[in-house]
Amino acid sequence: MNFNLFIDFLNCLYIEEVEIATRTNNQERLARMVFTGDFGNDITNEEINDSSRRQAMRTARCVKILGKGVVKVVHRCDDAKENENLDLSQCQLMQVPDAVFLLMKNTTLHTCSLASNLITKIPPKLAMSFSLITELNLSSNRISALPNEMSNCTQLETIDISGNSFVQLPPVLIEIPSLNKVNASKNFIADVEIEAMVSCPNLEHVNLEDNPINKPVYEELAKITSIRVLLSPREQEEWEDLSI
């Protein structure tokens, strides 16, 4: 792996311990500057050296932790070259590294998991590069939309977008005729394009549990028999109770 790939991986990682150490270093450096400015030479060289040593130790630990994070992702990519299933779950990714697509360019994937990260956006390149996947797991991230390029995944049968920030079922899912199962639970979905959803030729299962679905939409979804739609018991909102 060359230096540019390594940097690309680093830029996509979020590790809380590294964030805290960096913030601590900056706060300590600022405090020392303010203290020195306010009180002249009251701070001793020994104290400065001790502070510098602590910062150097924290920095060294951060580099080690980040290095392990990069190695973890690279090893997952190497595994995928063997089993054709890319599992990047729980890798503390803030975004999908471009380097992943480069490493996987000669591999035909069947499944891809980006679950339990901190991802906010799925790049169009994912759908273009992994167009033959049959299963995609994006659960437990911070995603609110899917790119239109997802329609290129013509073999996709199962997608899990649960535990994200969607306010509607991604419209592009309707454009994937192979889609059979959608898990969209634990989002913020209030409205659903029922007619479009029912028109999907192979769709059999949609999980919409733990979503704040509007009452009229909820009632219509409950009537659907051609698709198994999972819904949480709906609690009446206070503003809906006219007797109050």
Side-chain angles (χ1 to χ4, degrees):
M1 180 172 59
N2 62 36
F3 180 74
N4 289 333
L5 288 181
F6 183 78
I7 293 300
D8 181 50
F9 279 124
L10 284 184
N11 289 336
C12 296
L13 290 172
Y14 174 85
I15 298 178
E16 186 176 11
E17 187 172 349
V18 173
E19 181 73 15
I20 293 172
T22 302
R23 187 164 60 245
T24 302
N25 277 355
N26 290 337
Q27 290 172 343
E28 190 169 307
R29 189 179 299 112
L30 179 62
R32 190 173 67 201
M33 290 170 60
V34 171
F35 188 82
T36 303
D38 286 346
F39 301 98
N41 295 322
D42 287 350
I43 189 168
T44 66
N45 288 334
E46 183 178 350
E47 290 172 321
I48 293 175
N49 291 336
D50 185 53
S51 175
S52 297
R53 280 194 299 270
R54 288 197 302 271
Q55 291 181 21
M57 291 175 64
R58 283 193 290 263
T59 300
R61 179 167 175 77
C62 288
V63 171
K64 184 177 181 180
I65 293 171
L66 286 169
K68 286 184 177 179
V70 172
V71 169
K72 181 179 182 179
V73 175
V74 172
H75 282 174
R76 297 282 186 91
C77 290
D78 288 339
D79 290 341
K81 293 176 183 179
E82 299 293 329
N83 58 34
E84 299 180 336
N85 299 304
L86 180 60
D87 180 8
L88 296 181
S89 62
Q90 297 182 320
C91 284
Q92 296 173 296
L93 294 171
M94 295 184 292
Q95 61 190 59
V96 184
D98 284 340
V100 166
F101 303 118
L102 184 60
L103 291 175
M104 303 307 302
K105 66 179 180 179
N106 295 320
T107 303
T108 299
L109 294 177
H110 295 306
T111 68
C112 176
S113 176
L114 296 168
S116 302
N117 283 291
L118 302 166
I119 298 169
T120 58
K121 185 177 181 181
I122 297 299
K125 189 180 293 186
L126 183 142
M128 304 297 289
S129 300
F130 305 154
S131 61
L132 297 179
I133 57 174
T134 60
E135 182 177 337
L136 178 61
N137 189 346
L138 304 175
S139 63
S140 302
N141 278 284
R142 302 174 180 179
I143 305 165
S144 60
L146 294 179
N148 292 331
E149 287 80 2
M150 285 298 302
S151 60
N152 288 281
C153 297
T154 56
Q155 308 298 313
L156 188 64
E157 298 176 357
T158 301
I159 186 168
D160 189 341
I161 57 172
S162 62
N164 277 285
S165 301
F166 291 94
V167 296
Q168 63 175 349
L169 279 178
V172 69
L173 296 183
I174 309 302
E175 301 175 30
I176 307 175
S178 59
L179 200 59
N180 177 266
K181 183 177 181 179
V182 177
N183 185 355
S185 62
K186 298 179 182 178
N187 277 281
F188 302 94
I189 298 171
D191 197 8
V192 177
E193 292 290 338
I194 296 177
E195 186 175 341
M197 185 180 77
V198 173
S199 70
C200 292
N202 291 301
L203 189 60
E204 296 181 357
H205 183 107
V206 178
N207 188 339
L208 291 170
E209 293 176 316
D210 297 316
N211 278 290
I213 298 173
N214 292 331
K215 183 178 180 180
V217 176
Y218 184 97
E219 293 174 348
E220 290 299 314
L221 286 170
K223 296 177 183 177
I224 295 175
T225 57
S226 59
I227 300 173
R228 185 186 181 195
V229 181
L230 299 183
L231 299 166
S232 296
R234 189 176 185 280
E235 296 182 4
Q236 188 176 45
E237 302 289 346
E238 287 187 7
W239 61 269
E240 294 175 331
D241 188 355
L242 299 180
S243 64
I244 295 179

